[in-house]
Amino acid sequence: APGEQAPTAGLVSAGDAGAPADSPSRPARVVLLDTGRGVRAATVQRWREELGMLPRDELRLLSWQLPAEPLPLRSHDVLGPAGTDGAWAHVERLRRSAWRRTRRAAIAATARAAQAGIAPARLRQVGGNADKVANEGLSARFAAAVLRSRDAAQVVRAADVVAPVDLRSQRAAWALARRYPEADTVSTVAAASRIIARLHQQDTPSPTATQD
């Protein structure tokens, strides 16, 4: 589409959504962390509303997955296998294959347990173990990828606030808070919205400042 940038390795962008050059106040610079699949433009709009962002404010995303469509973001770095080289993608395929084998083994074990008369609640607990392990592994890999990325480091250092949008990205937020204390990194979108509100209040001129 006209004006749309082609994706590059590790980077997907839907164009510059920043403030105009003559904006009277500096935009708030917000970075979100996400491990979810198929993010859409409507999701980005919902995030902006939940954060209380103004049109001039800049929103950047560090994610594990490719989006479902071009997103209205200042920038978007994809740090998972789809955004990196083939060697890393091959490693990820091996990990997924191992997880599928673990999952199949867990399902087979629960079926045998059902025949032995084990309670359904216990079956659900056993069947969910593979999912729990997979989520914890993804959380750790995303955190490591964020810390490894030079692009992510540059984005985070320039941010006013950094926040995760899902549970699996909270570990990355914790790691960033320790490595880059200059950025105000929080654990929830609600906490980020309070920081953004304070930034907006600081940009609002006092009545006495506007008087002659």
Side-chain angles (χ1 to χ4, degrees):
E4 183 179 311
Q5 298 179 2
T8 59
L11 176 65
V12 177
S13 177
D16 189 339
D22 59 352
S23 178
S25 301
R26 184 180 71 78
R29 297 166 181 163
V30 183
V31 176
L32 295 181
L33 311 172
D34 179 47
T35 63
R37 293 178 179 272
V39 175
R40 295 186 175 275
T43 305
V44 174
Q45 182 58 35
R46 175 172 56 80
W47 288 339
R48 292 187 69 97
E49 292 172 357
E50 291 175 354
L51 289 163
M53 297 180 69
L54 298 177
R56 71 169 186 260
D57 293 337
E58 299 175 358
L59 181 59
R60 301 174 186 268
L61 180 64
L62 302 177
S63 76
W64 183 254
Q65 308 279 1
L66 287 168
E69 59 188 8
L71 302 177
L73 296 163
R74 181 76 173 186
S75 69
H76 181 188
D77 289 285
V78 180
L79 304 176
T84 54
D85 59 31
W88 174 250
H90 177 64
V91 171
E92 183 65 16
R93 283 195 295 272
L94 292 177
R95 284 174 171 162
R96 289 178 180 174
S97 177
W99 177 83
R100 283 194 293 268
R101 290 195 299 272
T102 302
R103 180 66 173 167
R104 286 196 295 268
I107 292 172
T110 57
R112 290 193 297 271
Q115 294 176 353
I118 297 178
R122 175 58 179 163
L123 294 182
R124 287 194 296 272
Q125 179 183 351
V126 173
N129 283 344
D131 292 327
K132 181 179 179 181
V133 170
N135 285 336
E136 290 176 351
L138 175 55
S139 176
R141 295 200 301 277
F142 180 55
V146 169
L147 293 179
R148 240 185 352 253
S149 170
R150 293 181 180 179
D151 291 335
Q154 183 177 3
V155 166
V156 170
R157 286 193 180 107
D160 293 312
V161 59
V162 180
V165 298
D166 64 336
L167 290 175
R168 291 180 301 192
S169 59
Q170 287 183 347
R171 181 179 299 192
W174 178 84
L176 288 172
R178 291 172 62 86
R179 177 166 293 187
Y180 306 112
E182 60 268 30
D184 207 341
T185 303
V186 295
S187 59
T188 65
V189 169
S193 70
R194 292 191 288 272
I195 294 173
I196 293 170
R198 289 200 298 269
L199 292 173
H200 291 162
Q201 289 174 354
Q202 294 170 6
D203 282 340
T204 302
S206 64
T208 55
T210 59
Q211 294 177 1
D212 294 331

